[in-house]
């Protein structure tokens, strides 16, 4: 693991007098920096605190908010909430998978995109919806999904 990440984890651990009791908060901060909880981060936390890696992994895999795989530069979140579901969310997820050529939870080889299904994004009036990083896209159709992803790809290559 790069020294920069080690320093960041040191700074996080330094904030908590008992990191084991505050493990969820520690992991949330690590994820905020790294985008996910990597094996290397878990091993480093173990090395620094003595908290067994099995315990850290247990917490990280129990809570749905933690990601154990990296995310792409553009993280696509396809809503599978009720309003989106009844408005064809499945087709949207299928389209994202086809356009990117990866399964749910994976990252494209160039690191540009990852996609995952998530619970209600809070913009049901524009169902079916997805978010890419902080931006919401709604009233999606397979064609619209294709053109959104195409235009991000084009921009990223400029
Ligand atoms: S159900 Fe999809 S945004 Fe609410």
């Amino acid at each position: 693991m790069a020294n920069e990440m080690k320093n960041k984890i040191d700074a996080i651990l330094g904030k908590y007098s008992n990191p084991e009791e505050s493990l969820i908060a520690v992991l949330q901060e690590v994820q905020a920096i790294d985008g996910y909880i990597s094996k290397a981060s878990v091993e480093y936390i173990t090395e620094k605190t003595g908290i067994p890696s099995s315990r850290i992994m247990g917490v990280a895999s129990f809570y749905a908010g933690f990601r154990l795989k990296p995310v792409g530069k553009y993280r696509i979140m396809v809503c599978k909430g009720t309003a989106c579901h009844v408005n064809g969310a499945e087709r949207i997820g299928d389209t994202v998978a086809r356009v990117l050529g990866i399964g749910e939870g994976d990252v494209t080889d160039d690191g540009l995109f990852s996609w995952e299904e998530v619970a209600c994004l809070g913009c049901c009036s524009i169902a079916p919806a997805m978010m890419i990083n902080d931006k919401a896209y709604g009233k999606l159709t397979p064609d619209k999904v294709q053109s959104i992803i195409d235009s991000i790809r084009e921009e990223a290559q400029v």
Side-chain angles (χ1 to χ4, degrees), residues 69-104:
K69 285 184 180 180
V71 288
K73 182 173 177 205
Y74 295 93
R75 180 183 171 207
I76 301 179
M77 289 157 277
V78 177
C79 180
K80 59 169 189 177
T82 308
C84 289
H85 179 74
V86 299
N87 280 288
E90 203 175 313
R91 272 191 320 156
I92 302 309
D94 289 348
T95 305
V96 172
R98 178 179 53 74
V99 173
L100 298 180
I102 55 171
E104 200 235 340

Side-chain angles (χ1 to χ4, degrees), residues 18-32:
N18 185 340
E20 183 155 15
E21 272 179 10
S22 309
L23 200 48
I24 292 175
V26 168
L27 293 177
Q28 279 169 337
E29 291 200 42
V30 170
Q31 180 164 286

Side-chain angles (χ1 to χ4, degrees), residues 103-133:
E104 200 235 340
D106 290 335
V107 185
T108 53
D109 287 343
D110 58 7
L112 211 51
F113 294 100
S114 60
W115 82 276
E116 67 208 90
E117 291 179 332
V118 296
C120 178
L121 290 167
C123 45
C124 313
S125 60
I126 57 167
M130 69 179 183
M131 284 188 80
I132 302 183
N133 296 344

Side-chain angles (χ1 to χ4, degrees), residues 6-20 23 26-27 29-30 41 44-49 51:
K6 286 184 179 174
N7 292 341
K8 285 179 179 170
I9 293 179
D10 287 343
I12 293 168
L13 293 173
K15 289 198 246 172
Y16 299 94
S17 56
N18 185 340
E20 183 155 15
L23 200 48
V26 168
L27 293 177
E29 291 200 42
V30 170
S41 294
Y44 188 66
I45 294 170
T46 296
E47 184 188 321
K48 297 297 282 190
T49 63
I51 305 168

